[in-house]
Amino acid sequence: MNKGVRAGPGWTSGLEDDVFLRVFKPMNKVFTDALSALHDLQDGTTLMLGGFGLCGIPEHCISALVQKGTRNLTCISNNAGVDDFGLGLLLQNRQIRKMIASYVGENAEFERQLLSGELEVELIPQGTLATRCLAAGYGMPAIFTPAGYGTEVAEGKETRVFGDKTYLLETAFDADYALVKAWKGDRLGNLVFRATSRNFNPLMAMAGKITVAEVEELVEPGALDPDHIHVPGIYVHRIFVGTNYEKRIEQRTVRARS
Amino acid sequence: MLDKNGIARTIARELRDGYYVNLGIGIPTLVANFIPNGMEVQLQSENGLLGMGPFPWEGEEDPDLINAGKQTITTLPGSVFFDSAMSFGMIRAGKVDLTVLGAMEVSQKGDIANWKIPQKRVKGMGGAMDLVASADNIIVAMMHVNKAGESKILKKCTLPLTGVGCVKKVVTELAVLEITPKGFKLLERAPGVSVETIKKATLGKLIIEGEIPEMAFD
């Protein structure tokens, strides 16, 4: 039925197809944890990871990748975490071969690996990053954007003039897995996000060949208002509940009470 | 001479009732502190929020609620969340009325460089390239000279560009400059700053027509 079901928790290889369908609901995409949801993720994979800074990152998927020790990863993510959290953990372990991001200023280890040539890096405009995800999820091979025209981002890229403006042709991302973090979800894979932790998560969820969503709360189908679902479950292959989210704050800024 | 807040206050004079405004990191963020009383301005944060509120009270920080500078913030009545594609959709479609951002260099053609110092500092462009490529009304807030005392207001940028021919105005600690086809037109001097001082600090072509007034605030 879908890529996630048969490899799900509890499945034993001895079951015939009809038994499988009687025992397991075909639309049950629920896995027990990050490790089981990412069990088939191999070295050399291209991944998308949601989040903006440390806000809305798939913490548990990242931890599982650290635990698995998967190497030679290509990671598409707006940022690269900080030295000791988020994607910074994978960088420390040298698990990332190539990084595609828009802003990496919060991670000293990243900058060191980049300047020393250990890490391959493609820096692209944030809107281009978002829209290349969008294109993938909408089944469109490419987009035109004015971002980066006249800069080194445009080098080697096809351009086209519409009206009085020049646009760059940018292709849709082609990622093996998308790892996203949502607030709530159900076993059908329907997802709802909270506040600005939404950011790239729904776009990447729609763009992955295999999309793995970690959620704070797994609810029964029907509990989410159909009008308020951000990503329809058709885009999501695997889902699990993450516990004890750290949700680290990068820049704690407050008004002092007088 | 203006301090950072003075630069922000100067730029705040460009705000108009009903404007949607995107403020970059650094001095631009301070512009929010000078929105005139009674004026309704909605701040767009490109990580997915329209209607950005002030920083939270101590103890009320929400890790799911940050601005593009990754600072904890709050919402206001009428605030909206959206994903990053829609955020840059509204930017690209020209819905944002005013964009204020910082820069390392600006050229007299309106080119801007603010994302990379080769072999030294590579932080990335974030949303800056999208903003400068699409926004009509772009104001740069920055210091006139760098820490080494060299002008950042140039004939031609030396650093990798963020965008070409896009900056409309530059506000520094010394002056307000408008980018015109002929070069940087000096519009105003900061309090106590002479035209001579501005000339010395500017490497790009400076156009001085008539008496240059000192900045006035309401």
Side-chain angles (χ1 to χ4, degrees):
Chain A
M1 191 69 214
N2 73 59
K3 289 166 189 157
V5 173
R6 279 152 194 260
W11 180 61
T12 52
S13 56
L15 295 181
E16 294 300 322
D17 260 10
D18 58 336
V19 180
F20 178 90
L21 289 175
R22 267 185 281 129
V23 176
F24 300 102
K25 289 177 188 154
M27 279 291 176
N28 187 5
K29 302 176 179 181
V30 180
F31 283 69
T32 49
D33 56 17
L35 271 178
S36 64
L38 301 180
H39 68 279
D40 54 359
L41 197 150
Q42 309 279 332
D43 288 359
T45 299
T46 298
L47 303 175
M48 292 177 151
L49 298 107
F52 184 96
L54 301 177
C55 182
I57 58 171
E59 290 182 23
H60 292 280
C61 284
I62 293 170
S63 297
L65 290 174
V66 171
Q67 221 177 312
K68 275 166 70 82
T70 322
R71 307 191 77 79
N72 277 324
L73 298 171
T74 295
C75 292
I76 303 167
S77 167
N78 189 53
N79 311 92
V82 294
D83 284 330
D84 61 344
F85 196 56
L87 281 182
L89 298 170
L90 295 178
L91 283 167
Q92 262 181 14
N93 279 353
R94 310 290 173 84
Q95 289 175 257
I96 303 178
R97 181 185 68 79
K98 183 178 178 183
M99 187 79 216
I100 300 173
S102 89
Y103 188 81
V104 293
E106 334 288 352
N107 191 316
E109 174 63 14
F110 182 99
E111 207 163 10
R112 192 197 64 71
Q113 288 186 23
L114 166 60
L115 292 172
S116 70
E118 291 162 63
L119 180 71
E120 194 184 332
V121 177
E122 198 182 324
L123 288 168
I124 62 176
Q126 195 174 135
T128 302
L129 179 66
T131 316
R132 289 176 68 187
C133 294
L134 182 92
Y138 276 62
M140 300 183 295
I143 55 145
F144 284 103
T145 176
Y149 173 67
T151 76
E152 62 180 56
V153 164
E155 283 167 20
K157 283 182 185 149
E158 202 177 318
T159 59
R160 189 158 161 190
V161 178
F162 295 96
D164 57 356
K165 222 165 158 169
T166 310
Y167 295 77
L168 305 182
L169 184 130
E170 299 274 7
T171 54
F173 281 124
D174 184 13
D176 303 312
Y177 288 78
L179 313 182
V180 305
K181 151 78 179 44
W183 179 35
K184 292 178 182 178
D186 61 26
R187 66 170 171 79
L188 305 173
N190 296 312
L191 301 178
V192 172
F193 302 88
R194 185 174 172 275
T196 55
S197 73
R198 190 184 316 183
N199 55 63
F200 288 85
N201 280 300
L203 304 164
M204 290 180 170
M206 292 165 65
K209 284 203 200 72
I210 297 178
T211 290
V212 178
E214 53 176 276
V215 297
E216 289 176 53
E217 202 182 325
L218 190 68
V219 299
E220 282 302 310
L224 302 174
D225 183 339
D227 267 330
H228 295 166
I229 290 170
H230 296 127
V231 174
I234 192 169
Y235 285 110
V236 179
H237 307 95
R238 305 173 186 178
I239 189 166
F240 68 92
V241 183
T243 50
N244 300 318
Y245 274 95
E246 178 174 341
K247 291 197 185 183
R248 195 184 292 185
I249 291 175
E250 221 165 313
Q251 306 282 342
R252 188 178 298 276
T253 43
V254 293
R255 277 180 285 172
R257 294 179 195 275
S258 49
Chain B
M1 196 185 295
L2 299 173
D3 60 6
K4 287 179 177 182
N5 278 307
I7 295 174
R9 190 175 164 212
T10 304
I11 291 171
R13 297 179 308 174
E14 309 276 339
L15 299 170
R16 299 288 177 271
D17 214 9
Y19 261 20
Y20 292 100
V21 180
N22 181 292
L23 301 175
I25 296 162
I27 302 173
T29 305
L30 301 172
V31 174
N33 299 332
F34 298 97
I35 299 170
N37 276 338
M39 183 184 282
E40 199 168 12
V41 167
Q42 286 230 313
L43 300 178
Q44 199 255 16
S45 190
E46 66 263 25
N47 57 318
L49 169 62
L50 199 56
M52 180 164 57
F55 295 139
W57 295 110
E58 207 173 336
E60 290 176 10
E61 309 91 297
D62 178 350
D64 287 339
L65 183 46
I66 62 167
N67 64 15
K70 284 105 181 174
Q71 297 171 308
T72 44
I73 40 139
T74 57
T75 53
L76 295 169
S79 291
V80 196
F81 299 119
F82 34 82
D83 65 52
S84 301
M86 184 178 279
S87 183
F88 284 94
M90 57 186 77
I91 287 166
R92 221 180 284 119
K95 306 297 179 188
V96 176
D97 300 293
L98 175 64
T99 299
V100 185
L101 70 175
M104 298 171 184
E105 295 176 347
V106 173
S107 85
Q108 63 197 35
K109 287 212 156 79
D111 298 348
I112 175 173
N114 72 354
W115 72 284
K116 182 179 182 181
I117 304 174
Q119 308 307 320
K120 256 182 159 174
R121 228 182 78 194
V122 186
K123 298 206 177 287
M125 64 291 278
M129 280 194 184
D130 307 272
L131 281 159
V132 300
S134 296
D136 280 332
N137 193 6
I138 298 174
I139 299 181
V140 165
M142 66 175 196
M143 305 310 280
H144 216 99
V145 294
N146 65 19
K147 281 176 188 140
E150 298 156 344
S151 180
K152 297 164 73 173
I153 313 282
L154 307 173
K155 283 189 167 56
K156 202 167 180 281
C157 292
T158 62
L159 294 169
L161 294 177
T162 307
V164 289
C166 50
V167 177
K168 296 286 182 296
K169 238 178 215 182
V170 183
V171 179
T172 73
E173 77 279 22
L174 304 179
V176 177
L177 305 165
E178 187 188 351
I179 312 257
T180 69
K182 291 179 187 158
F184 293 104
K185 187 176 175 192
L186 181 57
L187 296 184
E188 288 174 288
R189 300 174 288 118
V193 173
S194 70
V195 170
E196 262 326 291
T197 305
I198 297 165
K199 268 189 186 166
K200 271 189 205 149
T202 307
L203 275 184
K205 191 172 180 218
L206 193 63
I207 300 160
I208 302 161
E209 286 171 0
E211 276 294 299
I212 306 299
E214 230 178 57
M215 289 170 193
F217 297 95
D218 299 329

